[in-house]
Amino acid sequence: MFFPNRVEITEVGPRDGLQNESILVPTEEKKQLIYHLSQMGVKRIETASFVHPKVVPQMADAAEIASYCNSLGLTYIALTPNMKSLELAIHSQVPQIAVFVGASETFNQKNINRSIDDSLNECTLMFKKAKEHEKFIRAYVSMCFSCPYEGHISFDNVKRVVEHFVNIGADEISIGDTNGQANPRIVYERFSKLKELYPSTEFVAHFHDTNGFAYANVIAALQAGITKFDSSIAGLGGCPFSPGATGNVSTEGLVKLFHEMGIQTGIEIEQMNAAKLYALKLVKK
Ligand code: HMG
Ligand code: MG
């Protein structure tokens, strides 16, 4: 089995964690959450999303959150689904941006109101602009295993989107089990294939935990050679356009799992627990 000395965790709680919460969290409280998370030793935090405020009202304060993250000197990611978002993110001096395209046509249409082809074409223009501004570019591929609208998603559908992102120069590609329906076998097979096809690409595993398989899926991805994982404090999260899906794999569960196996994450347990308590207070769980 593959047991690396260290893995890298990206905390996505302030973005993926909060975007699906029905309670609108005040901006000042989001800042406090980000501050708590910044103290636990995580390398990067996904803090905001420059999406349409009518579509995801929880993310309407992205510019103010970005300004706060800049004042802390944080390395953070903000989601940018289209050129307009990218321009807003550049204006807000966001260091790392993330585009997102689904491997499922129906999901992509519902999520960002574009066909996959139109989204990929827009991403080509966005990558050019983001690179001119020296941004680190994460590319998400959502619904990489199954989709609430289309059912099973074929590997070829995933490959088509991944390949486009590889060709236009993504700095990393996060493979999403958006609705949390993957199992360890398909995870191992798909990540192994992707690593074989694109050996110099940095892949990230992004699991939602709908069926309680997320930790098993993490280990399966690890065995396929993946060492970068996304997780959310207190397991918050979900996507408004992925009905029935629950939160991301929890940061505290992931950190405990890795530490027990002798794999370092750089995350401090005490600060992480404080961040978790604060996050739970915010969503009153
Ligand atoms: P649209 O309606 O198609 O946009 O929305 P449009 O280009 O047709 O423009 C319509 C109007 O919206 C125009 O205004 C634009 O200016 C405005 P008007 O001229 O009518 O006054 N507009 C915007 N305003 C603010 N911010 C913007 C923006 N863009 C256009 N960025 C859009 C397209 C992408 C904006 C919309 O569909 C959207 O916001 N979608 C976001 C969906 C979302 O946030 N989903 C959750 C994140 S993805 C996820 O969770 C999965 C992930 O975690 C990985 C995984 O789990 O797999 C990442
Ligand atoms: Mg997600």
Side-chain angles (χ1 to χ4, degrees), residues 15-16 206 208 248:
R15 195 282 301 173
D16 208 340
H206 179 105
H208 285 260
N248 294 86

Side-chain angles (χ1 to χ4, degrees), residues 150-249:
E150 294 187 6
H152 178 78
I153 297 296
S154 74
F155 180 76
D156 280 349
N157 283 8
V158 178
K159 179 172 173 274
R160 163 190 173 207
V161 181
V162 168
E163 191 151 288
H164 188 86
F165 285 145
V166 170
N167 290 341
I168 61 177
D171 291 302
E172 69 183 6
I173 301 180
S174 185
I175 299 295
D177 179 22
T178 320
N179 58 342
Q181 295 297 321
N183 63 63
R185 180 174 181 163
I186 194 169
V187 164
Y188 179 78
E189 287 171 357
R190 290 202 169 179
F191 275 107
S192 300
K193 228 166 180 177
L194 288 172
K195 295 264 298 177
E196 190 187 313
L197 288 168
Y198 313 105
S200 37
T201 297
E202 292 277 335
F203 286 105
V204 183
H206 179 105
F207 295 118
H208 285 260
D209 198 20
T210 316
N211 289 334
F213 295 173
Y215 297 104
N217 291 339
V218 164
I219 299 303
L222 187 78
Q223 294 318 304
I226 301 300
T227 56
K228 290 172 122 184
F229 297 90
D230 292 342
S231 64
S232 173
I233 197 76
L236 304 180
C239 170
F241 300 93
S242 175
T246 60
N248 294 86
V249 63

Side-chain angles (χ1 to χ4, degrees), residues 15-16 19 50 52 82 85 111 113-114 142 178 206:
R15 195 282 301 173
D16 208 340
Q19 74 180 12
F50 287 86
H52 199 298
N82 61 8
S85 332
N111 198 34
N113 200 24
R114 299 282 181 278
S142 294
T178 320
H206 179 105

Side-chain angles (χ1 to χ4, degrees), residues 112-178:
I112 52 177
N113 200 24
R114 299 282 181 278
S115 67
I116 294 176
D117 278 343
D118 286 349
S119 295
L120 293 179
N121 288 338
E122 188 160 8
C123 284
T124 304
L125 303 175
M126 289 168 69
F127 272 43
K128 190 168 177 289
K129 187 164 194 124
K131 282 172 190 284
E132 281 164 14
H133 289 267
E134 297 178 346
K135 303 298 177 196
F136 180 96
I137 307 174
R138 158 178 282 217
Y140 275 107
V141 187
S142 294
M143 302 296 179
C144 284
F145 304 93
S146 134
C147 165
Y149 310 104
E150 294 187 6
H152 178 78
I153 297 296
S154 74
F155 180 76
D156 280 349
N157 283 8
V158 178
K159 179 172 173 274
R160 163 190 173 207
V161 181
V162 168
E163 191 151 288
H164 188 86
F165 285 145
V166 170
N167 290 341
I168 61 177
D171 291 302
E172 69 183 6
I173 301 180
S174 185
I175 299 295
D177 179 22
T178 320

Side-chain angles (χ1 to χ4, degrees), residues 50-71:
F50 287 86
V51 292
H52 199 298
K54 278 195 187 139
V55 180
V56 190
Q58 188 74 268
M59 295 289 121
D61 52 6
E64 198 179 335
I65 293 295
S67 161
Y68 176 68
C69 294
N70 290 338
S71 76

